[in-house]
Amino acid sequence: MNRSRPARVAIFARAPVQGRVKTRLARAVGAESALRVYEDLLASTLQRLGQVSETIAPEIWVDGDLGVFARWQGQGTAEGLKDLHIPLIAQGRGDLGQRMSRAFDHGVRVLVGTDIPRMTAGYVEGALNALACADLVLGPTEDGGYCLIGMNSPHPELFDGIAWGTASVLTSTLHAAKDLRVRLLDEMWDVDDVDDLTRWRGL
């Protein structure tokens, strides 16, 4: 697919603050351990997607304090992390759907999360290629949600009335997209609970 400039890819992340991230996992392993898991997942995602290329221009859209996030990144706890010069953008107010919709309103083409161990630049590039013949591209997850959403133009109706964090997210989104050309990518899985953590550590 010919593009004059790299596509803007939003990596949706939370500022790494204990008690604010991986709260479901924290109930089993404790808030401090859950924070470390989140930091590992976040660092891994940034390392895999954080390099500007001919096809991808990554951006980190942060839920929380941008200064906290910048200081964490600057610590360079993961190899090469502090050398990544990725724009930091505040997600702003609203629920998850409103914040995601805002990113597309501002020109983002693809949006991804940070807790998908098998998310790669190739997966994102596959989404961009699929947008050549689709209006909407989704990367399904095993729990009924999605880890990637890509669009050629904003469709705010896809974010209205969705019960975020439930097993109905993908189904509800597909229902809202009934008039669009939709392409589904390969199914992924995310790290939400102890079983997921064990699965990830076993890779």
Side-chain angles (χ1 to χ4, degrees):
M1 180 178 178
N2 293 323
R3 287 183 292 267
S4 59
R5 63 182 65 182
R8 292 174 59 193
V9 175
I11 303 170
F12 253 43
R14 285 184 174 177
V17 176
Q18 185 169 314
R20 293 285 309 280
V21 296
K22 289 293 165 201
T23 53
R24 181 177 167 189
L25 180 63
R27 290 195 289 268
V29 302
E32 183 175 354
S33 293
L35 174 61
R36 299 293 173 258
V37 170
Y38 177 75
E39 289 177 323
D40 288 347
L41 285 165
L42 177 56
S44 178
T45 299
L46 295 182
Q47 287 171 324
R48 284 179 274 122
L49 303 184
Q51 301 293 338
V52 176
S53 68
E54 293 182 357
T55 55
I56 296 175
E59 304 170 352
I60 306 172
W61 285 63
V62 179
D63 177 17
D65 191 314
L66 292 181
V68 169
F69 194 100
R71 287 191 293 274
W72 171 81
Q73 185 177 348
Q75 291 172 358
T77 53
E79 183 178 354
L81 193 60
K82 64 182 179 181
D83 298 323
L84 295 176
H85 302 292
I86 312 174
L88 298 182
I89 301 171
Q91 291 183 19
R93 297 182 180 276
D95 67 17
L96 178 59
Q98 291 170 322
R99 288 180 275 127
M100 289 196 294
S101 185
R102 184 177 298 124
F104 286 101
D105 288 341
H106 283 79
V108 164
R109 291 283 304 287
V110 170
L111 185 153
V112 301
T114 57
D115 56 358
I116 310 297
R118 294 192 178 277
M119 177 72 68
T120 64
Y123 191 78
V124 174
E125 288 170 353
L128 290 168
N129 290 334
L131 285 172
C133 57
D135 303 308
L136 170 67
V137 176
L138 294 167
T141 52
E142 292 178 0
D143 61 4
Y146 58 78
C147 60
L148 175 151
I149 180 169
M151 295 184 283
N152 290 311
S153 59
H155 291 281
E157 68 276 10
L158 300 180
F159 304 101
D160 290 337
I162 304 296
W164 303 107
T166 70
S168 66
V169 169
L170 180 63
T171 300
S172 298
T173 303
L174 291 173
H175 178 74
K178 58 183 181 297
D179 296 325
L180 302 178
R181 298 173 299 166
V182 180
R183 171 76 180 274
L184 297 180
L185 303 178
D186 292 340
E187 188 176 71
M188 294 283 195
W189 55 276
D190 51 8
V191 177
D192 279 332
D193 56 26
V194 173
D195 290 340
D196 299 327
L197 179 59
T198 301
R199 183 178 183 182
W200 178 39
R201 295 306 191 197
L203 290 179

